[in-house]
Amino acid sequence: MSKIVDKLLFEGDDIQVLPRDGTTMNLSIKDIQIDKDIPVTPNVVFPSEVLREVIKRSNYHFIMNFCICRVSSDCKDYPHELGCLFLGRGTQKISTKLGRVVSANEAIEHIEKCNKAGLVHIIGRNKIDSVWLNTGPKEDLLSICSCCPCCCLWKMTPDLPENISGGLTSMMGVEINFDSKLCSGCGKCALGSCFVNAITLKDGKAVIDKKNCRICGRCAEICENKAITVLITSDAVVRSIERIDKLVDVKSE
């Protein structure tokens, strides 16, 4: 049954979870050769730069009037009106009853609002969106969702078969680091901050399940002792965009 569901709704999915801006610490690159043709501020890497660059490249931008996950779950903690952003020529087929066509600048303003609201961005090709929105081939639609930890559809990731859950991964060039010596065992990181429930407490210390962790950065953001950090390479933005470029040609008309 999972193979049938995968074929119909998830086949070819490739989605990256971008850590929250401000939660990352630079990690030097060793023996990695990447064609760096995308301008990035020296020594400061913000994951959201991935979104800005892809948005600028796209000829089409469409913002949903609402977040289907937060509305269906009647979310009490995060705004319902901050919906998904879609890029690519497939957006031309989305009903205007669901949202609106916007400029690149308006799309960037939208993701900035989502970031200020405490939401986590995920970006990639998500076949289920092209199916329910009836936008044609999955290669024509790029999805950018801004997710809360309580209502995100992908919170079911730990319970999904690996052939489906494997479509949602962490951003290229990032890794989670935990220093148990700095952990006070307060439990804040384990209480509702992780949307895939990858953090538990054991013997008075946090334990991170790196298999389930998608490195969204929420735990690093709330850890007062800085026991959890997100390390990011200076080429992370370039590598992430190169990965996205292979999925959807947002420049296509």
Side-chain angles (χ1 to χ4, degrees):
M1 180 62 71
S2 68
K3 291 181 179 179
I4 295 175
V5 172
D6 182 31
K7 180 73 175 179
L8 293 175
L9 301 175
F10 299 98
E11 183 182 47
D13 276 6
D14 191 345
I15 308 165
Q16 299 181 64
V17 178
L18 305 184
R20 296 260 308 147
D21 279 355
T23 66
T24 55
M25 295 178 61
N26 278 32
L27 182 68
S28 60
I29 308 172
K30 295 181 179 180
D31 301 321
I32 299 177
Q33 298 297 321
I34 298 290
D35 180 15
K36 301 178 185 179
D37 58 351
I38 299 171
V40 179
T41 305
N43 301 320
V44 179
V45 181
F46 294 112
S48 63
E49 290 178 20
V50 173
L51 305 180
R52 290 181 178 84
E53 179 62 29
V54 176
I55 287 171
K56 290 175 184 176
R57 292 183 179 194
S58 182
N59 286 311
Y60 304 101
H61 316 82
F62 188 97
I63 297 176
M64 292 278 291
N65 287 334
F66 58 93
C67 170
I68 191 170
C69 295
R70 284 189 284 280
V71 169
S72 61
S73 298
D74 192 21
C75 185
K76 305 297 184 184
D77 300 318
Y78 296 89
H80 290 198
E81 69 274 12
L82 295 179
C84 291
L85 167 65
F86 297 106
L87 308 179
R89 62 185 177 187
T91 60
Q92 298 176 90
K93 299 180 180 180
I94 302 177
S95 170
T96 53
K97 294 180 180 180
L98 299 176
R100 61 200 184 278
V101 175
V102 298
S103 66
N105 287 337
E106 289 173 312
I108 290 174
E109 289 176 4
H110 176 73
I111 65 166
E112 289 174 348
K113 288 180 182 178
C114 293
N115 191 50
K116 289 180 181 178
L119 303 173
V120 166
H121 304 295
I122 66 174
I123 178 171
R125 189 175 65 201
N126 191 359
K127 185 177 181 180
I128 195 171
D129 285 334
S130 62
V131 172
W132 84 272
L133 291 170
N134 194 29
T135 60
K138 61 182 184 295
E139 292 81 9
D140 287 347
L141 190 70
L142 187 71
S143 302
I144 300 176
C145 295
S146 299
C147 303
C148 61
C150 41
C151 307
C152 178
L153 174 68
W154 288 102
K155 67 182 296 182
M156 67 178 73
T157 297
D159 302 317
L160 292 173
E162 190 171 347
N163 60 313
I164 296 177
S165 64
L168 181 76
T169 64
S170 56
M171 177 184 176
M172 299 293 289
V174 300
E175 61 181 73
I176 194 83
N177 183 65
F178 174 65
D179 188 339
S180 61
K181 294 179 181 178
L182 297 177
C183 178
S184 66
C186 69
K188 288 183 179 179
C189 60
L191 298 175
S193 69
C194 181
F195 76 118
V196 289
N197 297 321
I199 306 179
T200 55
L201 287 180
K202 185 176 181 180
D203 299 327
K205 297 286 184 179
V207 177
I208 301 176
D209 180 349
K210 292 191 176 182
K211 180 180 178 181
N212 284 330
C213 175
R214 293 310 194 267
I215 315 183
C216 68
R218 286 194 182 96
C219 56
E221 193 171 39
I222 65 173
C223 182
E224 296 177 357
N225 297 320
K226 306 300 181 184
I228 305 174
T229 52
V230 176
L231 305 180
I232 186 168
T233 60
S234 59
D235 70 332
V237 169
V238 175
R239 293 171 64 192
S240 294
I241 293 174
E242 287 177 345
R243 177 174 161 186
I244 292 167
D245 283 344
K246 298 175 182 177
L247 303 173
V248 178
D249 180 9
V250 295
K251 298 178 184 178
S252 177
E253 296 188 21

